[in-house]
Amino acid sequence: MGIAVGKSIKEAEKFCKENDLKFTPVRRKVLEILLQKNKALGAYEILDLLREAGFKNQPPVAYRALDFLVKNGFAHKIEQLNSFVGCMHPGKDHSPAFMICRNCDFVSEEEAINPNFSVSKIASKAGFKVEKAVIEARGLCHSCASMA
Amino acid sequence: MGIAVGKSIKEAEKFCKENDLKFTPVRRKVLEILLQKNKALGAYEILDLLREAGFKNQPPVAYRALDFLVKNGFAHKIEQLNSFVGCMHPGKDHSPAFMICRNCDFVSEEEAINPNFSVSKIASKAGFKVEKAVIEARGLCHSCASMA
DNA sequence: GCGCAAATGTTATGTTATATCATGGAGGAC
DNA sequence: GTCCTCCATGATATAACATAACATTTGCGC
């Protein structure tokens, strides 16, 4: 396990303790899987990895853990891929924007907050009150672009 | 049929003629459905409406027509809902941002282009080359917000 | 008419996600 | 400590979304 993964897990543990959330074994394991793989994984891929690790592997096992992680900011869903990534900036209040490489599937999480723009700004013109914004770009990551 | 719907259909027809695209009956009908309903529809809802209109209703019928419409800019997929909307600004080169009301399911399409912001700007810091950006906000539309 | 390419018809299946009810386990009230 | 409640998990089933693969038809240039 990378050291960064261990650190993130510890932070999640601490956050849960402070907020009366139960960081159960299956939730911890799913977060470890997401952080270790460091790419977008579908629920059923996660399920396979859970089985390998000795957990039960019916779909609700993965979806429940993922719901928990997403709801509490430890992971994000990538809507375009119907898959999930571990959060790179847990704990902090943030507006993520995801960059999804079409060649290598790597997903990087950037901060979308920008004083010049915001989805809210577009929205307010339309009289719309934003509660959650999804920003996902598809394209080529630096390393794949330079190979092409 | 609303007059605006007829107008959009005519524009689509013209665009297809000019670009050697076949605006076949099923493609036309799906676009009509999307424009008339003026909200996000799942492929299987569209399929039901196609059947009512006398078309075949196996899944590929809807998905193929939707692929055509999305590819050519006559419709968009709303990733968060796994559903589709007719395009409000067809023909023009555009970067849509969608506002999805969680109360009434109405989806409005705004223009996200802004020279100062852009997903590309966030991306370029990350060395990422954007080919397509998905921006979808969830929240409350003006009319639902004022009722609350 | 013939041949090609694209669209449609048709069957089957793959993939993603949730509903529902049963069971278990930790922690508080008493 | 025991009972109770709440939430998590176990387990089964099915719903919802999407595509693969191959056959058939249609429109069009020659």
Side-chain angles (χ1 to χ4, degrees), chain B residues 43-44 59-60 63-64 67 77 81-82 84:
Chain B
Y44 283 71
Y63 282 104
R64 285 166 177 162
D67 283 350
K77 180 169 189 181
L81 302 179
N82 294 318
F84 300 85

Side-chain angles (χ1 to χ4, degrees), chain B residues 72-142:
Chain B
N72 297 112
F74 303 130
H76 298 288
K77 180 169 189 181
I78 306 298
E79 298 287 348
Q80 287 186 76
L81 302 179
N82 294 318
S83 61
F84 300 85
V85 293
C87 179
M88 297 301 138
H89 315 103
K92 305 191 185 74
D93 185 28
H94 63 312
S95 289
F98 300 97
M99 308 287 136
I100 307 162
C101 181
R102 68 163 156 79
N103 191 56
C104 70
D105 282 339
F106 179 75
V107 176
S108 77
E109 178 181 345
E110 309 298 331
E111 179 54 48
I113 280 198
N114 175 329
N116 292 318
F117 164 79
S118 69
V119 170
S120 299
K121 208 157 181 177
I122 296 170
S124 63
K125 286 206 307 195
F128 190 94
K129 185 158 178 286
V130 176
E131 290 166 353
K132 183 195 169 203
V134 168
I135 302 178
E136 299 176 3
R138 285 272 241 170
L140 280 180
C141 72
H142 183 66

Side-chain angles (χ1 to χ4, degrees), chain B residues 2 8 15 18 26 35 56 58 60 80-81 92:
Chain B
S8 293
F15 182 89
E18 291 168 357
V26 65
L35 292 169
K56 293 293 156 93
Q58 300 91 332
Q80 287 186 76
L81 302 179
K92 305 191 185 74

Side-chain angles (χ1 to χ4, degrees), chain A residues 59-81:
Chain A
V61 172
Y63 283 103
R64 285 165 176 162
L66 288 165
D67 283 350
F68 172 87
L69 295 174
V70 169
K71 190 168 150 197
N72 296 112
F74 303 129
H76 300 287
K77 180 169 188 179
I78 305 299
E79 298 287 348
Q80 288 187 75
L81 302 179

